[in-house]
Each structure stands twice: as structure tokens, then as C-alpha cells.
Amino acid sequence: MTPGGGGGGPMKDCEYSQISTHSSSSPMESPHKKKKTTAKRKWEVFPGRNKFFCDGRIMMARQTGVFYLTLVLILVTSGLFFAFDCRYLSDQITPAIPAVGAVLFFFVMGTLLRTSFSDPGVLPRATPDEAADLERQIGNTEEIANGSSSGGYRPPPRTKEVLINGQTVKLKYCFTCKIFRPPRASHCSLCDNCVERFDHHCPWVGNCVGKRNYRFFYMFILSLSFLTVFIFAFVITHIIHRSQQTGFLNALKDSPASVLEAVVCFFSVWSIVGLSGFHTYLISSNQTTNEDIKGSWSNKRGKENFNPYSYGNIFTNCCSALCGPISPSLIDRRGFMQPDTPQPAAPSNGVTMYGATQSQSNMVGTIP
């Protein structure tokens, strides 16, 4: 009786402990584990200095104070024009004036928001494996130069040379993004990103201007020039028309908002129209602001440093910049992070571009 009862006791304890452990771990802990392993979107861990809104759909620079000033100036000036000038001009001259002004206003706002809220062409940074491989290669450069390295391994230098339409172009290595920047790309110090076909960082739109939003930036400043000239011209028309009826001083007293609009438009129209003309010149020659400031290319194809990206025709250059499909975003900011997925390592003799690897021998091509 005693051995049998003693044997039954431990068996029951063992069974109880197994059932208790199984029942408490599977159904109770698995929901909590799922919550902890929820994948984050890429914009939540984006390494650059950017702000994101609407679950990553809107991407802007971190410093956006001047952008809000741009919005206020456009909204206030246009609002005063529609509220105090358009009614008089519509009754006394033609109702087409407020209609044309409304079309220009909505076009300006649409292109401004499209420029400010979009990815300008940010290049993805190298994966940890690619970055470690390239850093190792560049770190061994001095050893090879001194003859202390063994074997025939030759690491890439800090610059690469590619041939584009007969012109040699250097690709510089970015120590922040750990990539060799493609042609015409540059690193923005304010946003801390390498941007494809980098033009400049514009605080007035609160974003970089690059390959994916340059056409919208150009249409914004061009349409803003037309809107500013349009408002200034018809505000002056309003004041002159009133002064013919009641006198100049009475006209100013009757429409103080028109005076404010005229002053704002007068001081802003010169810079806006000048900026539009400058970018029209850049588009016609297929250059960027960054290239023009640095004096990278000459306008004459006979010289040694001719612009390899120019088609030699103003119309073709304009179509290349303003027409055609927009390239997709390379950073996939609304995609989900995959922390458990192994990252591919770059080959030791390659050039890291767009998060992938290309051989230097395949980098001789035409205009991208």
C-alpha cells in the first residue's frame, strides 16, 4: 500500500506540473508576444533629419518654419485680393478676373504642396553588411598603398570614375550614407540624406528639391510669378479705377487692403520672377543649381568639361526635365521593417548604388 500510494503521488504531481506549464504558456503569453513583435514602418526608423505625417505619406524637412511663412504670405495676399478687390473688379470690368485668379491660386497651392510633401529622390543608405564591407575596403586602402597588404585584393578608392556620353564623371563616396553617390547626386547637410539629381535645399518649400519633385518646384515658382503679377496688376487697376471716381486719397482710404497687397506683391515679384527665369535657364541647359553654382559644366560641347546631360536642344532639355514618368521612391517609407531578414553583403569589387551593387565595368553608359 505504501509503495503504491507513494508512486501514485509523484505521478499526479508530475502530470499537474506539465498541464499547468503548457496551459499558462501557450494561450496566455502568445498574444503578448505578437504585440511585441509588430513590425514598424520604415519611416518610423528613418535615419535622415525628416518629419513624416499621415503614416509616412507626407515627408518634409525637419525645419519647416519658412514653409509656413510661404503659406501665410500666399494665403493672406490671395485672400485679401478675393475678398476686397475681386468683387469690385468683377462688377466694373469683367467676372473673368476672379475666375482666372482662382485657377492660378489653386495651381500654385497644388504644386507647392506637391513639392513640399513628397520624397525629393532620397537614396537609401547602405545596409549594415554593405556598409561594413565598404568600410573595410576603404580602410585597407592605406595598407595597400604602403605595400603592407597581402594578395591581389584591391579595395575601391574614395571616388569612382564613370563615362557618360564621352565625359568622365566622378562618383564620390558618402561617409554618412555609406554609398558611392550616383551621378548628379549630393548629400544635403540639412536633411542628412543623399538626394538623386540634387538641385538645392529650399527652406521656402520646406524640402529638398531633387529628381522626383523638381518639375513641381519649377511649376510652383512659375505659376507663383504669374499669380503675383496678376494680383499686382489688378490691384493697381482697382486703385486707379477708384481714384478716377473719388480721388486718389479717398481710393486709398476706401481700400486699405489693396494697398497692403500692392506693397507685398511689389517687393516679392522681383525675386520670384528672377528665380523663375534662372530655373528656366537651368532647364533649357539641363543643369541643376548645384552644378551651376560649382561651375561643373560648360555650355559649349567642344570644351573638355561640356555638360554630358544636355541633349544639345532647348526643347528636348525642357521635355526631359518637365515631361515623362516620375521615378518611384527608392526608400519605400511606408513599407514594413523586416528585422529578421538577413541583409545581403556587397561583393568586394563592386560599387554600392541604390542599396545594390554594380560592377564598375558596367557603369559606362548614356544619360540616365
Side-chain angles (χ1 to χ4, degrees), residues 70-322:
T70 304
L71 278 180
V72 169
L73 288 174
I74 296 175
L75 292 174
V76 170
T77 306
S78 301
L80 293 175
F81 176 72
F82 288 119
F84 297 98
D85 296 284
C86 283
R87 182 181 301 177
Y88 180 88
L89 295 171
S90 178
D91 294 338
Q92 298 295 325
I93 301 179
T94 174
I97 294 176
V100 174
V103 171
L104 286 174
F105 170 75
F106 284 112
F107 191 84
V108 167
M109 292 302 300
T111 52
L112 170 61
L113 298 180
R114 183 64 175 81
T115 305
S116 304
F117 293 166
S118 61
D119 169 22
V122 175
L123 295 169
R125 301 192 181 193
T127 63
D129 291 336
E130 292 173 336
D133 186 68
L134 277 177
E135 287 291 342
R136 178 181 60 82
Q137 296 174 34
I138 295 176
N140 291 336
T141 304
E142 295 182 357
E143 296 182 5
I144 290 197
N146 296 330
S148 58
S149 178
S150 60
Y153 173 74
R154 293 183 59 85
R158 297 176 187 268
T159 59
K160 292 285 184 181
E161 290 187 353
V162 296
L163 195 64
I164 299 178
N165 289 339
Q167 179 70 272
T168 301
V169 179
K170 288 186 177 181
L171 309 183
K172 295 182 180 180
Y173 179 76
C174 179
F175 289 92
T176 302
C177 301
K178 310 298 182 185
I179 61 173
F180 281 97
R181 293 194 292 261
R184 314 189 86 177
S186 184
H187 191 90
C188 176
S189 59
L190 296 176
C191 294
D192 200 25
N193 296 315
C194 280
V195 179
E196 195 173 10
R197 200 187 182 279
F198 177 76
D199 192 86
H200 69 290
H201 180 94
C202 182
W204 294 98
V205 301
N207 204 350
C208 286
V209 179
K211 182 178 181 179
R212 298 190 71 251
N213 65 348
Y214 180 79
R215 68 179 63 180
F216 300 104
F217 171 78
Y218 176 73
M219 288 188 288
F220 162 66
I221 59 175
L222 187 64
S223 59
L224 184 60
S225 300
F226 284 112
L227 179 63
T228 307
V229 172
F230 181 86
I231 292 177
F232 181 73
F234 282 104
V235 164
I236 297 299
T237 302
H238 179 199
I239 295 175
I240 293 176
H241 202 275
R242 275 186 178 272
S243 63
Q244 292 176 350
Q245 298 175 351
T246 61
F248 182 71
L249 294 179
N250 291 329
L252 296 181
K253 293 179 181 179
D254 293 339
S255 56
S258 300
V259 178
L260 178 61
E261 298 165 44
V263 171
V264 172
C265 292
F266 177 79
F267 285 104
S268 58
V269 68
W270 307 106
S271 58
I272 297 172
V273 172
L275 185 63
S276 301
F278 173 68
H279 279 277
T280 301
Y281 154 73
L282 293 179
I283 288 177
S284 63
S285 58
N286 204 336
Q287 292 188 82
T288 64
T289 303
N290 189 44
E291 293 169 347
D292 183 76
I293 292 176
K294 292 180 178 179
S296 301
W297 314 118
S298 172
N299 293 330
K300 297 181 180 180
R301 298 189 68 89
K303 293 189 175 181
E304 294 182 357
N305 63 331
F306 69 89
N307 183 6
Y309 308 104
S310 176
Y311 292 93
N313 182 279
I314 295 178
F315 179 77
T316 308
N317 287 337
C318 292
C319 290
S320 174
L322 302 178

